[in-house]
Amino acid sequence: MAPPPGTLLGISSTYLSRYTTSWLLPPLPLALLRLLLSLYAFVTTFTILGTDTPLSARQSFSYFTVLTYWGLAFYFLFSGLHTLTYARSGVSWLQRWPRPLQAFHALFYSTIVTFPFLVTIVFWALLYKGPWFPKTVDAWSNISQHALNSLFAVTEILLPATLPPAPLHLLFLAVLLALYLGLAYITYAIQGFYVYNFLNPSQGAGRTAGYIIGILVAECVIFGLVWGIIWIRVWLTERVLGMKAKTAGRSGRREPAHEMENRTERSPGGVADDVEMGKSEK
């Protein structure tokens, strides 16, 4: 029998209840951490926009780095609010959302734990040629967008009680990369510049195609590694150490063990989910 569509998209009850909980932090500290990271990302983004020329600010929306950093800012904002409402009431906004929006949030999570690593690798391996940035603000902005972005992704891999991303998400990630490739060439057609030099076919169509295929392969490898790390984290914290996700009741405090409704539900990743979270206190 085929798995339910919700499981394939990462929006079954097993998945959804874990986006707002952590095996290490109670819901309120997790919410505050996410909101703090969102604030940092927004402050960084608006500071860069404020110090850029109007032309550079407009052109920035064609860069994958900038788009993914906006994604980090908005992801941590919404995930922080979801977690905050869960901490206060025991049921998050995410659990009340329509299924299509839940599916988008699950896919959003998959982009957050993979795209930042792709940005970091491509920038330091292909784009950065040195010397180091002479202006402090330039150094700070580049570290924020090309190094701290991956650190932010690591927090979402290690801290929440999330399960490994649904394998079907890899197809959506590939589609998103293809759509961005189209945006990059539309930018050249309209504004006359290549956002990344390796996309310029004048250096050789084969070489450009090699870069594009290489980036797609890198994304697939990153997805596989992230999937494995999350699987190991769930196995280690829940199976080996017995550290279940910290949940919250209506009062915003952790539910006593005897008040939690237990069940065992097998996830696609092969890790048992022993607690159905997001339930109100009885």
Side-chain angles (χ1 to χ4, degrees):
M1 182 181 296
T7 299
L8 291 174
L9 295 174
I11 57 173
S12 67
S13 59
T14 303
Y15 278 92
L16 286 177
S17 59
R18 290 172 170 266
Y19 286 116
T20 53
T21 55
S22 168
W23 60 274
L24 182 63
L25 298 176
L28 183 57
L30 178 62
L32 295 178
L33 174 62
R34 283 171 160 172
L35 292 174
L36 179 63
L37 294 179
S38 173
L39 177 62
Y40 180 89
F42 275 119
V43 168
T44 301
T45 299
F46 285 115
T47 300
I48 294 171
L49 289 175
T51 56
D52 273 345
T53 64
L55 177 61
S56 295
R58 291 194 301 270
Q59 291 178 340
S60 69
F61 290 95
S62 294
Y63 287 88
F64 190 72
T65 295
V66 175
L67 295 177
T68 57
Y69 207 74
W70 277 106
L72 282 169
F74 278 106
Y75 170 81
F76 281 112
L77 174 61
F78 278 96
S79 64
L81 292 175
H82 288 317
T83 310
L84 186 61
T85 56
Y86 175 73
R88 290 176 59 85
S89 68
V91 180
S92 68
W93 283 349
L94 180 62
Q95 291 170 301
R96 297 190 182 103
W97 277 9
R99 297 294 268 184
L101 292 181
Q102 292 175 345
F104 278 121
H105 184 83
L107 178 58
F108 203 2
Y109 175 81
S110 293
T111 67
I112 292 303
V113 296
T114 59
F115 282 170
F117 297 113
L118 186 63
V119 168
T120 298
I121 292 170
V122 170
F123 178 78
W124 296 109
L126 297 179
L127 303 179
Y128 176 74
K129 304 299 182 183
W132 188 246
F133 307 97
K135 295 182 179 180
T136 302
V137 66
D138 291 338
W140 166 71
S141 64
N142 275 279
I143 289 173
S144 295
Q145 291 186 316
H146 302 116
L148 292 184
N149 61 329
S150 291
L151 180 60
F152 290 177
V154 168
T155 66
E156 282 298 302
I157 292 172
L158 299 182
L159 287 183
T162 48
L163 293 173
L168 186 60
H169 284 183
L170 182 57
L171 174 61
F172 289 104
L173 297 178
V175 170
L176 289 176
L177 289 176
L179 290 174
Y180 174 75
L181 183 63
L183 173 63
Y185 284 110
I186 290 174
T187 297
Y188 174 74
I190 296 176
Q191 301 187 46
F193 76 98
Y194 288 102
V195 288
Y196 300 109
N197 288 332
F198 59 78
L199 294 178
N200 186 347
S202 65
Q203 63 184 345
R207 185 176 181 183
T208 300
Y211 278 123
I212 293 172
I213 294 172
I215 288 174
L216 177 60
V217 170
E219 173 62 18
C220 294
V221 171
I222 291 169
F223 184 88
L225 291 175
V226 168
W227 195 100
I229 292 171
I230 294 177
W231 190 95
I232 292 172
R233 185 254 295 158
V234 175
W235 172 78
L236 181 63
T237 58
E238 299 186 16
R239 288 281 191 89
V240 177
L241 301 178
M243 301 176 70
K244 302 298 181 183
K246 300 179 185 296
T247 58
R250 289 190 182 276
S251 62
R253 56 185 173 84
R254 187 177 176 182
E255 290 184 5
H258 67 276
E259 292 183 354
M260 299 169 67
E261 182 178 348
N262 295 322
R263 67 173 176 160
T264 299
E265 183 175 339
R266 182 67 59 178
S267 74
V271 180
D273 185 28
D274 298 321
V275 179
E276 181 179 5
M277 293 166 285
K279 293 283 187 179
S280 303
E281 286 188 339
K282 296 181 179 178

